Amino acid sequence: MALLSLQDVSVTYLSGGKRVHAINHVSLDVEKGESLGIVGESGSGKTTLIMAVLRLLPPGRARVEGTAELEGRDLFQMSDQELSTVRWEQMSVVFQKAMNALSPVHRIGKFLSDIYRLHRPDVNKRDARRAVEELLILVNLPPRVFNLYPHELSGGMMQRVSIAMSLLFTPRLLIMDEATTALDVVTQNQILDEIVELEERMDITRVMITHDISVVAGTCKNVAVLYAGSLLEFGPVDEVLVEPMHPYTKGLIESFPTFEAEEREPLVSIGGSLPDLVELPQGCVFAPRCKYACDLCRQKTPEMRSFGGKRKAACHFAGGEFHE
Amino acid sequence: MNEEKREQTPILRVDDVRCHYPQKKKYVRSDGTVIRKAVVKAVDGVSFSIPKGEILGVIGESGCGKSSLGRLLVRLEKCTSGKIYLDGQDMENLYRKDRLAFRRRTQMVFQNPFDTFDPRHSIGKILMDTMKLHHIGANDQERREMAIAELASAGLLPAESFLQRFPHEFSGGQLQRISILRSMLLGPDVMVADEPVSMLDVSIRADIINLLYESTRKKNTAMVFISHDITTTRYISDSIAVMYLGRIVEMGQADEVVTAPRHPYTKALISNCGSIDPRVKKKAIYLPGEPPTPVDIPSGCPFWPRCPQATKECRQQEQQLKDMGGNHFVRCSQVTGL
Ligand SMILES: Nc1ncnc2c1ncn2[C@@H]1O[C@H](COP(=O)(O)OP(=O)(O)OP(=O)(O)O)[C@@H](O)[C@H]1O
Ligand SMILES: Nc1ncnc2c1ncn2[C@@H]1O[C@H](COP(=O)(O)OP(=O)(O)OP(=O)(O)O)[C@@H](O)[C@H]1O
Ligand code: SF4
Ligand code: SF4
Ligand SMILES: [Mg+2]
Ligand SMILES: [Mg+2]
């Protein structure tokens, strides 16, 4: 059984009398031990998708459809009480803006140990302190941070505190939404190395949202490419990033300069911009920007097809031959 | 050989500049001792020069002083000490004598394009006002035509309709293109681009990089390109300077710095820079210890607390940038120069 299984998930925001189709019929599985990177440009729905899974979207403003099973239990059908234990102990999340997760009036150490003891009432203060200190070391923070207030930390340090917090109960599923983006490469890598190591040791599986494909290439097993709320390609990192099947994935990869390139070739970007999510184009969502688009693409939405192993892509032309 | 060209006065020469910010708060060290009059030494003795039309990339850890240096170069911040020369003339004098003329010669593009423009004015007005201020174009009609031509050349079509629009009606990428256009309108001698693509979408970054590259080449403008992204910096730059705690620790030809780094910090930085090709596996160098703070800079070589190659001497002895030949400079006791 997959750790997390999304079936036909759609999210529609209701905004000013309009319906914003932010996620459209996304299905994907996250297997135990197979960390997943979700990539896609700004506005493609990455945050929306995980907010839906975490049930953090305001019910009146967003309509969520489909199922999202965590170890077989549908998160969308859970009672609030069930959900609150699941949220800390089985899945946790780190967002880009760590600030919001911390209390400005409490010292870091006290705040974290209090949360710890709230969920583990039988643990005494000293053991809670030790557990928190170990986590701080794990994310490369000096012990003195235990006694500091959030405003005394740099942005990078604060981010690491919130990563430590998300690991308090060694969750099954760790979700990171651009959680290391603000850090410099040295710090980012050191933390990710620790987390990857921890994943193996403690059986944690990570879902990581990032615009930095090199992070996905270096730390994830699988990758999902999201565009305008649709899943366009999915598969093992060492296949998708080496030989992408979908024109959009190809474009994304080509727009990165590489270390290996000898000559200064002009960089290629994907022209155009995301379609209006209120009125999605007919047919393939990527057609307005796709250089291979033909009439059929503009009429018929390509289905997600499997190409052996875990590979999937949603393009009429994926896999060589034209496929209606 | 281009020896002759090298001998010419560089368009920008930076001589031992510092940028210190005095703090109101005291600073408590991890061992409990206190610094009463804390000073953030954001830039602490930087020297380099750039020949006309060349691009210098500046990379380094978050907080190492890249943006502060950038602001000094366009005189948004005054040097605490040291001097900057624009085409051989003292920049402080040029700035005092005629600010408007000075602005024409140095321009800056910022990280967040949404903060760059006055939201109350249309893009047409913004562009035309800039031209008018700097006496470009004979009349409004001519300025309007120039604005249209500029927008069109950046692929913002139909340009006439873009003129009427307000900043919030553009995407980040479009605004950044306009911001670059506006800066380049004046044909500046020096352009500072501080993280110009880091807020933008991956899919449009390439456009901005290409535009920056082509427009500065066309007008022979020298550029200082500040970024976290080492691959992009290498791509666009002729040479690269690596900063650590307010100083340059290594500087040289872009390819050389990235493919054959000499300074232990540069080595660590480059080794941590990932590839988008999952088949390329690099062994990243681990840096122990707490990231440093520019309030309490270690004695000797400031990198010693985290340096894998540090010796006892490193803690006491300040290091100078040493000439390795071929315009490559390294500040480290373990690297011997010419
Ligand atoms: N509360 C809301 N009401 C209406 N539309 C929304 C709301 N929140 C997000 N959207 C829209 O939904 C789409 C997806 O947004 P989302 O934040 O999920 O994208 P993202 O992929 O996380 O982008 P980024 O990389 O910028 O974080 C966007 O078009 C956004 O404008
Ligand atoms: N106006 C200011 N007053 C006080 N300290 C400042 C000021 N501006 C910057 N600093 C401090 O100076 C140091 C260098 O900051 P700067 O913004 O130049 O770094 P940077 O290399 O651009 O970092 P980043 O990569 O995160 O943008 C930092 O410690 C910063 O907190
Ligand atoms: S289905 Fe057609 S438009 Fe869509 S990605 Fe494939 S070729 Fe392009
Ligand atoms: S001088 Fe010493 S501490 Fe500094 S970088 Fe060189 S080896 Fe490391
Ligand atoms: Mg997001
Ligand atoms: Mg900066």
Side-chain angles (χ1 to χ4, degrees):
Chain A
M1 182 177 41
L3 177 63
L4 177 71
S5 178
L6 306 186
Q7 291 300 324
D8 210 19
V9 173
S10 295
V11 180
T12 313
Y13 288 111
L14 309 167
S15 142
K18 282 186 184 153
R19 291 161 182 274
V20 180
H21 302 284
I23 292 289
N24 298 296
H25 308 290
V26 168
S27 300
L28 61 86
D29 282 351
V30 181
E31 303 288 345
K32 267 195 195 73
E34 299 197 349
S35 46
L36 171 71
I38 303 181
V39 300
E41 62 199 86
S42 181
S44 59
K46 306 180 295 294
T47 301
T48 301
L49 183 63
I50 62 137
M51 293 283 273
V53 168
L54 291 159
R55 290 231 335 238
L56 289 174
L57 294 171
R61 304 277 317 279
R63 199 175 72 210
V64 179
E65 292 157 291
T67 60
E69 294 183 347
L70 184 70
E71 298 190 301
R73 297 159 71 204
D74 190 352
L75 293 162
F76 294 167
Q77 306 298 331
M78 263 179 207
S79 70
D80 289 351
Q81 200 182 353
E82 275 176 290
L83 193 68
S84 71
T85 52
V86 166
R87 242 186 231 154
W88 277 100
E89 315 228 343
Q90 294 187 41
M91 63 178 180
S92 62
V93 63
V94 192
F95 289 107
Q96 180 165 10
K97 292 204 186 88
M99 247 333 212
N100 308 338
L102 302 172
S103 156
V105 295
H106 290 107
R107 293 180 195 273
I108 300 294
K110 175 150 173 42
F111 185 63
L112 294 196
S113 6
D114 283 356
I115 294 179
Y116 191 70
R117 293 189 61 214
L118 207 64
H119 288 248
R120 298 268 190 282
D122 44 326
V123 171
N124 67 29
K125 271 195 185 162
R126 187 148 43 86
D127 288 347
R129 181 180 176 116
R130 188 167 313 137
V132 170
E133 277 174 347
E134 270 170 25
L135 280 174
L136 292 180
I137 292 169
L138 191 83
V139 294
N140 211 359
L141 286 170
R144 72 184 178 99
V145 169
F146 197 93
N147 292 317
L148 298 180
Y149 290 98
H151 74 262
E152 294 175 292
L153 302 180
S154 75
M157 291 166 100
M158 208 129 55
Q159 200 60 32
R160 280 179 277 166
V161 169
S162 68
I163 292 171
M165 190 158 92
S166 73
L167 295 171
L168 267 180
F169 303 105
T170 48
R172 307 264 81 156
L173 185 67
L174 172 64
I175 300 176
M176 306 180 86
D177 188 352
E178 302 279 5
T180 57
T181 304
L183 306 175
D184 60 90
V185 286
V186 176
T187 314
Q188 165 170 287
N189 266 2
Q190 291 187 191
I191 292 179
L192 286 175
D193 277 355
E194 296 284 359
I195 291 178
V196 168
E197 204 248 325
L198 199 73
E199 281 166 17
E200 284 162 20
R201 206 150 37 97
M202 309 196 128
D203 203 16
I204 298 174
T205 305
R206 175 173 36 103
V207 170
M208 177 135 186
I209 293 178
T210 175
H211 66 263
D212 187 346
I213 297 186
S214 72
V215 168
V216 174
T219 71
C220 295
K221 180 94 199 313
N222 296 318
V223 57
V225 182
L226 209 57
Y227 178 81
S230 296
L231 182 65
L232 296 189
E233 184 158 9
F234 182 94
V237 160
D238 44 18
E239 294 175 29
V240 175
L241 298 184
V242 175
E243 266 181 76
M245 288 185 136
H246 198 284
Y248 177 66
T249 318
K250 260 186 212 141
L252 263 189
I253 293 173
E254 278 168 10
S255 57
F256 275 89
T258 64
F259 248 95
E260 290 73 32
E262 291 289 315
E263 293 288 306
R264 194 195 302 265
E265 290 166 11
L267 296 174
V268 219
S269 69
I270 309 170
S273 53
L274 275 182
D276 182 359
L277 297 178
V278 175
E279 256 176 278
L280 286 170
Q282 212 195 337
C284 173
V285 275
F286 187 55
R289 296 168 78 183
C290 181
K291 60 182 167 193
Y292 307 106
C294 61
D295 285 347
L296 190 108
C297 299
R298 287 177 212 105
Q299 284 151 21
K300 195 168 178 301
T301 311
E303 272 171 36
M304 185 57 101
R305 289 181 290 141
S306 291
F307 294 91
K310 292 215 176 64
R311 290 204 77 170
K312 296 192 289 179
C315 165
H316 291 305
F317 291 98
E321 236 145 84
F322 181 71
H323 190 278
E324 198 173 322
Chain B
M1 245 336 261
N2 247 343
E3 283 303 316
E4 244 170 82
K5 194 178 154 212
R6 290 250 170 225
E7 292 300 310
Q8 284 173 11
T9 322
I11 190 71
L12 186 71
R13 187 159 75 81
V14 176
D15 185 16
D16 199 27
V17 298
R18 276 160 226 274
C19 173
H20 292 182
Y21 303 105
Q23 296 294 92
K24 292 211 175 67
K25 287 187 304 189
K26 61 182 194 296
Y27 176 77
V28 187
R29 290 199 180 98
S30 40
D31 62 4
T33 54
V34 173
I35 305 179
R36 294 234 153 267
K37 290 229 165 82
V39 175
V40 177
K41 296 177 179 168
V43 177
D44 204 29
V46 164
S47 304
F48 63 84
S49 51
I50 313 182
K52 215 171 169 43
E54 290 208 354
I55 301 176
L56 172 74
V58 179
I59 57 179
E61 197 158 48
S62 175
C64 69
K66 304 182 292 295
S67 298
S68 303
L69 176 65
R71 289 195 299 269
L72 293 178
L73 299 180
V74 296
R75 190 46 178 85
L76 282 177
E77 198 95 59
K78 190 169 181 284
C79 299
T80 310
S81 70
K83 275 205 181 338
I84 301 175
Y85 300 92
L86 191 60
D87 206 8
Q89 292 166 291
D90 184 350
M91 195 151 121
E92 195 58 33
N93 288 343
L94 291 175
Y95 176 79
R96 291 230 181 101
K97 222 178 333 174
D98 184 348
R99 287 190 193 190
L100 201 59
F102 176 76
R103 282 277 158 261
R104 272 199 288 280
R105 302 182 63 182
T106 63
Q107 283 286 316
M108 185 149 178
V109 170
F110 296 92
Q111 181 172 4
N112 187 350
F114 290 97
D115 290 344
T116 306
F117 297 104
D118 187 335
R120 292 166 305 175
H121 298 315
S122 72
I123 287 299
K125 178 164 168 54
I126 288 171
L127 287 177
M128 284 156 66
D129 281 357
T130 304
M131 293 186 221
K132 198 166 176 179
L133 184 68
H134 291 285
H135 314 294
I136 297 173
N139 51 44
D140 278 354
Q141 184 53 35
E142 204 177 309
R143 284 190 276 271
R144 201 182 126 82
E145 275 157 24
M146 285 170 75
I148 289 174
E150 286 289 337
L151 288 175
S153 76
L156 297 165
L157 295 166
E160 279 92 342
S161 91
F162 276 101
L163 277 190
Q164 322 291 329
R165 291 212 218 160
F166 289 82
H168 71 267
E169 296 173 275
F170 289 86
S171 73
Q174 290 173 328
L175 273 188
Q176 196 64 302
R177 265 188 267 179
I178 295 169
S179 161
I180 293 168
L181 283 182
R182 181 175 65 163
S183 303
M184 291 306 298
L185 263 180
L186 309 171
D189 292 327
V190 176
M191 162 87 128
V192 174
D194 189 357
E195 305 264 13
V197 294
S198 62
M199 297 266 298
L200 303 178
D201 247 0
V202 184
S203 63
I204 49 174
R205 283 184 192 189
D207 270 346
I208 301 295
I209 296 293
N210 290 338
L211 178 65
L212 266 176
Y213 183 77
E214 278 151 24
S215 59
T216 51
R217 281 283 131 118
K218 202 161 69 193
K219 299 215 167 143
N220 211 13
T221 297
M223 173 157 68
V224 175
F225 183 85
I226 299 172
S227 177
H228 265 312
D229 180 346
I230 294 164
T231 334
T232 304
T233 308
R234 176 205 181 185
Y235 176 83
I236 197 169
S237 308
D238 298 297
S239 48
I240 287 182
V242 183
M243 284 181 76
Y244 188 81
L245 274 183
R247 301 168 193 206
I248 292 177
V249 294
E250 179 158 8
M251 183 161 56
Q253 207 214 318
D255 284 341
E256 211 172 293
V257 171
V258 169
T259 57
R262 308 279 298 264
H263 191 280
Y265 176 68
T266 318
K267 284 184 188 166
L269 190 66
I270 303 290
S271 78
N272 274 283
C273 172
S275 168
I276 62 164
D277 186 338
R279 292 168 301 186
V280 181
K281 292 265 184 268
K282 275 197 294 189
K283 182 91 191 75
I285 297 170
Y286 183 82
L287 293 183
E290 203 175 332
T293 155
V295 173
D296 190 17
I297 297 182
S299 61
C301 168
F303 188 48
W304 74 256
R306 301 166 79 201
C307 179
Q309 285 166 248
T311 63
K312 226 163 104 199
E313 186 208 337
C314 301
R315 302 180 181 206
Q316 288 139 18
Q317 191 61 47
E318 277 230 17
Q319 299 298 320
Q320 302 303 320
L321 270 180
K322 277 181 288 207
D323 194 345
M324 302 285 123
N327 281 309
H328 198 138
F329 298 86
V330 180
R331 190 195 287 268
C332 170
S333 67
Q334 304 293 298
V335 182
T336 37
L338 282 179

